[in-house]
Each structure stands twice: as structure tokens, then as C-alpha cells.
Amino acid sequence: FMQGAPFIGNHETIGEAFVQAAENVAAPGAYILLGDEPSDDRIYYLNIPAPVFTIPIGHANPNTKYEYQKLADKTGGKMLQLTFK
């Protein structure tokens, strides 16, 4: 799933990740953001050139769900939910 992704990491710097992606690769039709914590840095929503489809896997963390929903809403994407069984 993540092979060939423009950015992968364990730092909660979502805003910086989108800046780096914009500088290093052409914008895709959409981004997928899978994570378990909210960002530690500022996200410049208007600078993200494609919709972001977020998948928060930190269901118990309301801050993560809020931030991922906001990111999806501001960029024209959707927040998706995974249910593990």
C-alpha cells in the first residue's frame, strides 16, 4: 500500500509532509493519509493541491478524528473509517 508513496514516516508533521511532497513529486489525483495521532505542526490546507482522504486509526482519540475530518473537509476529500475484526 505504501510502496512508492511520496512520504512515509513516524513523525506527526503532516503539514511538513505535504510541503515536502509538493516540492518533490507531481501532485496526485488524491492523497491518502493513514495515521493514529494529530499533527504536531501547522497544516496549510490551501496549499494542498489535491483532495486528502484520511483514515484515522486512533478511534479513541477525539483530537485525531477532529483533525483528520477537518483536513478531509478543507481539501475536498473524505474521512474514511477502518473497522478491524
Side-chain angles (χ1 to χ4, degrees):
F1 177 72
M2 296 181 352
Q3 185 176 11
F7 53 90
I8 298 172
N10 61 352
H11 299 285
E12 309 306 331
T13 52
I14 296 169
E16 180 63 20
F18 282 108
V19 168
Q20 291 296 318
E23 292 176 357
N24 294 304
V25 296
Y31 293 101
I32 297 174
L33 175 64
L34 175 73
D36 63 348
E37 294 183 20
S39 184
D40 291 333
D41 65 350
R42 185 170 185 174
I43 300 171
Y44 296 93
Y45 303 102
L46 298 178
N47 292 342
I48 299 173
V52 180
F53 291 83
T54 60
I55 305 171
I57 56 175
H59 296 286
N61 186 339
N63 292 333
T64 299
K65 291 178 84 170
Y66 171 79
E67 185 171 290
Y68 279 43
Q69 183 67 61
K70 183 177 178 181
L71 178 56
D73 291 345
K74 293 267 188 185
T75 61
K78 298 280 184 197
M79 185 172 78
L80 309 171
Q81 286 287 168
L82 287 178
T83 304
F84 296 101
K85 294 183 180 187

